[in-house]
Amino acid sequence: IESPAASPREEQHLSVVEDSAKKHVALRFRYFTASRGAEGLRCASVLRVFPGPPARFVAMCHRASSIKWFRVDNVTEAALDAHEPFRPAKADVVDAFLAESLDGFHEDGPAQTFAFFVREPEARWVARNLMHGMNAEENGDGIRVTVKTTAVGRVARFVVSLGDAATC
């Protein structure tokens, strides 16, 4: 049995991320943000850790004062920062954030319900390979998939990857 291997960065930084969550100590880290295409110094309070792959964590971002997703493989340096106060979040707030997320993505704005149709025969494969949070119902010659999320970009990438087998 071969499990997917963690990337070198995940192996290097995951234990520090986990320590931040366990010890309730802020994490100071250098992070590459894909949307900006740049690396910068960040500080966050780690609330939940998902070992992956890919390894991710949900944290209260000190710069934005909001909960965000981070990928461990985008961390290039990490250390606990006892001088920066840890900023906790209530469990129900974190749970709601996770429920509105899709595949490690959460965008600004309220969660919305999205739906698309996948025809047969592709529907058989798609029904068994939906992302957590997506729901499929048989609908004529295929399936109707619905999901309630803020991550419209992630839904769009999934639907586009299905080509002409999917219609919105």
Side-chain angles (χ1 to χ4, degrees):
I1 298 174
E2 272 189 53
S3 296
S7 73
R9 283 193 181 156
E10 288 174 327
E11 287 183 8
Q12 182 180 5
H13 301 298
L14 185 57
S15 63
V16 179
V17 171
E18 290 170 341
D19 285 348
S20 173
K22 283 189 270 187
K23 297 177 180 179
H24 291 112
V25 175
L27 179 71
R28 185 162 306 277
F29 58 107
R30 187 163 295 284
Y31 189 76
F32 175 78
T33 303
S35 62
R36 288 192 192 104
E39 191 175 275
L41 194 59
R42 306 289 288 265
C43 192
S45 299
V46 179
L47 305 169
R48 304 267 175 94
V49 179
F50 301 88
R56 296 180 173 132
F57 61 100
V58 169
M60 176 65 70
C61 175
H62 291 201
R63 181 173 60 196
S65 294
S66 63
I67 300 172
K68 295 188 178 279
W69 280 99
F70 296 93
R71 283 182 57 140
V72 177
D73 59 358
N74 285 342
V75 174
T76 56
E77 296 175 24
L80 298 181
D81 185 349
H83 300 302
E84 179 73 22
F86 187 87
R87 299 183 192 176
K90 292 183 178 180
D92 61 332
V93 172
V94 178
D95 290 343
F97 176 87
L98 293 172
E100 294 174 346
S101 298
L102 183 64
D103 194 36
F105 290 88
H106 189 284
E107 297 175 20
D108 292 334
Q112 300 176 56
T113 300
F114 301 96
F116 56 95
F117 176 80
V118 182
R119 69 175 183 222
E120 289 291 352
E122 292 89 345
R124 291 178 230 149
W125 177 87
V126 172
R128 295 182 176 274
N129 291 282
L130 294 172
M131 289 180 269
H132 180 74
M134 289 183 165
N135 301 298
E137 295 176 9
E138 288 189 28
N139 188 340
D141 292 335
I143 57 170
R144 182 174 189 266
V145 180
T146 58
V147 60
K148 185 172 183 175
T149 183
T150 64
V152 63
R154 186 63 186 103
V155 174
R157 285 190 298 276
F158 185 82
V159 172
V160 168
S161 76
L162 300 172
D164 65 352
T167 54
C168 294

